[in-house]
Amino acid sequence: MNDKLSFNCHFCDVCDGYGCVGQMPGMGGWNASRNFILNCEAWKQIPDGTHTATHTDTRLAPITGAVENVGYPDEKQFYFDLIRHCADAGVKLSIGDGTPDFKLQYGIAAVKEVQTTHPGIKAAVFIKPYPNDKIFERIDWADGVSEIGGIDIDAYNIITMRNLVHLEKKDASKLSQLKQRFNGKGLQFAIKGIFTDDDIAVVKEVKPDIVYISNHGGRVENRIGSTAHFLEQNAEILRQNCGELWIDGGIRTDSDAAKAASYGVTTILKARPFITEVCKEYQKQHQS
């Protein structure tokens, strides 16, 4: 086997957070993967909701940090491989932001590449919570590939990145400015990282097109809990204050997706399962 293929994913039979405890950087999560584990377990614990269940879309969750976190040999190639893999499988796309800037730029380039074989395909583009002027600039980079523009508000809790690139905690006023700008570009506006009571208060004021419940896959320092339980407790009030309700975090089976739909979720997002498949594909192609 090529000695470069030392992925941080262990290819566990069940991706439930236990196989990569303590691995950050890596595929694990904050606090010994506590929220990652809770995310996975909670879908079996919460009851079915009362919302009329309909089909939910599946979308790739925004991902960056391929070399550091995934252990992929090449940062740029990861985005191209991941986006192609999901596009070929009929999965809707998202791309994420990061530092250095090439992480977002590689994602944009990867979507442009798959547009040559999948005409009309676009992505949800999630930007870190920089000052608004910088966000405007970055979403402009994605003209031609974006169908949705989102702000990854929970990324403010990534302390090392916050101090490095000057992330800011977004209030309702700043998010409303972004919504107006994004809508003016013909994009739906999404707020990603809804996971606290304060976040709900912001949603009530901004009324985004899309509310995206997420605790960053359990990877950022936040309160203890699962996205599924947060959905159970807050789905009704969130649905009343947005156009669509999205969620990620530990969704592994069709029954998990159906349960999310029973609370009015229109889109589920996944990251680690797609990362695992891309790593397996790369490994198969580069065996020696």
Side-chain angles (χ1 to χ4, degrees):
M1 177 69 66
N2 188 320
D3 61 8
K4 291 183 180 180
L5 302 184
S6 55
F7 296 119
N8 293 332
C9 178
H10 301 297
F11 305 147
C12 301
D13 290 338
V14 178
C15 179
D16 57 8
Y18 286 96
C20 48
V21 169
Q23 293 188 349
M24 285 188 71
M27 298 288 284
W30 164 71
N31 192 22
S33 294
R34 181 60 177 158
N35 278 9
F36 178 6
I37 292 168
L38 290 175
N39 282 347
C40 297
E41 292 177 346
W43 292 107
K44 310 302 183 290
Q45 299 169 353
I46 66 171
D48 289 339
T50 58
H51 196 80
T52 301
T54 58
H55 171 74
T56 53
D57 288 327
T58 300
R59 185 178 287 269
L60 170 68
I63 302 163
T64 60
V67 172
E68 182 178 32
N69 294 310
V70 180
Y72 217 71
D74 181 83
E75 189 80 23
K76 182 177 181 179
Q77 190 62 47
F78 173 78
Y79 300 108
F80 279 71
D81 290 348
L82 180 65
I83 293 297
R84 175 185 52 78
H85 174 88
C86 289
D88 289 348
V91 175
K92 293 187 175 183
L93 304 178
S94 300
I95 57 175
D97 191 12
T99 186
D101 289 348
F102 63 67
K103 292 181 179 178
L104 174 59
Q105 292 164 346
Y106 288 162
I108 292 169
V111 178
K112 289 181 178 178
E113 175 69 21
V114 298
Q115 286 178 334
T116 63
T117 53
H118 299 271
I121 198 168
K122 292 190 175 183
V125 180
F126 289 94
I127 308 298
K128 292 293 188 288
Y130 297 102
N132 280 9
D133 286 347
K134 189 169 183 178
I135 292 173
F136 296 152
E137 176 188 36
R138 296 171 92 77
I139 200 65
D140 285 347
W141 293 352
D143 283 349
V145 306
S146 56
E147 60 182 349
I148 294 160
I151 305 304
D152 191 4
I153 63 170
D154 61 341
Y156 178 77
N157 295 310
I158 305 174
I159 296 173
T160 53
M161 185 176 183
R162 181 175 76 208
N163 294 337
L164 181 65
V165 297
H166 184 46
L167 303 182
E168 62 180 23
K169 190 172 181 63
K170 293 297 184 186
D171 59 21
S173 175
K174 290 177 180 177
L175 289 169
S176 293
Q177 292 172 14
L178 292 168
K179 180 177 185 292
Q180 182 178 10
R181 178 66 172 263
F182 285 24
N183 287 169
K185 291 174 66 68
L187 303 175
Q188 289 183 286
F189 177 67
I191 304 178
K192 175 185 178 290
I194 302 303
F195 194 57
T196 69
D197 290 343
D198 287 345
D199 297 336
I200 294 173
V202 167
V203 166
K204 288 179 179 178
E205 190 167 345
V206 177
K207 293 183 169 50
D209 301 304
I210 298 165
V211 160
Y212 181 171
I213 297 171
S214 177
N215 59 15
H216 224 90
R219 292 180 58 79
V220 298
E221 187 170 346
N222 207 325
R223 69 175 185 85
I224 300 297
S226 70
T227 56
H229 279 115
F230 187 82
L231 174 69
E232 177 194 10
Q233 295 160 8
N234 300 293
E236 184 174 357
I237 189 63
L238 291 173
R239 287 199 314 270
Q240 291 172 2
N241 288 280
C242 69
E244 296 182 30
L245 187 57
W246 294 10
I247 193 168
D248 68 19
I251 300 168
R252 299 290 182 264
T253 67
D254 290 343
S255 61
D256 295 342
K259 191 165 287 187
S262 76
Y263 286 90
V265 169
T266 56
T267 297
I268 60 167
L269 297 97
K270 300 180 182 181
R272 288 179 178 94
F274 294 133
I275 292 172
T276 297
E277 292 306 310
V278 168
C279 289
K280 286 179 178 178
E281 181 180 307
Y282 188 99
Q283 187 177 63
K284 182 178 179 180
Q285 292 175 353
H286 293 80
Q287 285 176 336
S288 60

